[in-house]
Amino acid sequence: LAAAAAAKASAPAAPAGDELDFFESLEDAVEDDEATQEAAPMEVDSTPTTAAAATATATATAAVASPPAVPEPAEVASAPVLPLASKQNLIDKALQVPPEVPPGQDDQFTALMKQPIEEVRSMLAEIDLPSKGLQKALVVRLLRSLTGLPPCKADEKMMLKWAQDQARQQEEQRRQQLLEETREAMRKKDLEEQQRKQQQQQQQQQ
């Protein structure tokens, strides 16, 4: 419309007879311009805005940078810790003198219970007694043997089996000794026989 008005203003004055034709051509030009604008498709800017692009980039970066969550391992239950009073009760119970200890040997029992168990086993081995069992049983066994008392009731079956095993071992050792003595006697007899033959050969040569 502005372009048409400008054209009209700049155009020379038309004669009176042609003025109607001039306005009709002007209206046709305006209608053609409006039709052209309506028919032309509106251009849509498909480029994302700066804020939207920044948001999308930040989301993609966060997805790459943060790895998937790893479940934490289950906590391992730790062994229960006995209170100091309970430990002392266990020690007192271990050092309690049993009735199997010979009379007058309470102090010796307490002293041996405070020694390493290997020390007690070594003492039992020196007097040829079995060294299997808990330390309390070993100490009782040692003290009863040193004082000349028989094994306690708890040791009777074990000591009987041990005595039988010892007897079998001694019998086997005795058998091996007899076999060795027999072999030695045979070797001695063979040597004497060789010496006798050598003497006979020497006498024949003379």
Side-chain angles (χ1 to χ4, degrees), residues 145-162:
S145 177
L146 293 177
T147 55
L149 294 178
C152 62
K153 188 175 182 180
D155 270 357
E156 286 180 354
K157 291 183 179 180
M158 187 272 299
M159 291 295 293
L160 178 60
K161 183 177 183 303
W162 175 80

Side-chain angles (χ1 to χ4, degrees), residues 51-72:
T55 303
T57 303
T59 304
T61 304
V64 174
S66 58
V70 179
E72 296 182 357

Side-chain angles (χ1 to χ4, degrees), residues 51-181:
T55 303
T57 303
T59 304
T61 304
V64 174
S66 58
V70 179
E72 296 182 357
E75 295 183 359
V76 179
S78 58
V81 179
L82 293 176
L84 185 59
S86 299
K87 292 182 179 180
Q88 187 61 38
N89 291 337
L90 292 176
I91 295 174
D92 295 340
K93 186 176 180 180
L95 294 178
Q96 185 177 1
V97 180
E100 293 84 4
V101 173
Q105 300 293 314
D106 293 0
D107 293 341
Q108 287 82 347
F109 173 84
T110 303
L112 289 171
M113 285 297 296
K114 293 181 179 180
Q115 296 296 319
I117 190 171
E118 295 300 331
E119 183 69 20
V120 180
R121 288 173 176 169
S122 176
M123 294 179 183
L124 288 169
E126 290 180 3
I127 59 177
D128 200 19
L129 284 178
S131 58
K132 293 183 179 180
L134 299 177
Q135 185 162 350
K136 180 179 287 189
L138 299 182
V139 172
V140 171
R141 189 180 305 158
L142 177 62
L143 293 177
R144 291 183 72 88
S145 177
L146 293 177
T147 55
L149 294 178
C152 62
K153 188 175 182 180
D155 270 357
E156 286 180 354
K157 291 183 179 180
M158 187 272 299
M159 291 295 293
L160 178 60
K161 183 177 183 303
W162 175 80
Q164 293 174 350
D165 293 341
Q166 289 292 104
R168 282 195 293 268
Q169 290 179 5
Q170 293 177 358
E171 182 65 24
E172 181 64 21
Q173 291 176 357
R174 177 60 181 168
R175 188 178 66 84
Q176 293 294 336
Q177 183 178 357
L178 290 175
L179 289 175
E180 186 62 28
E181 291 177 354

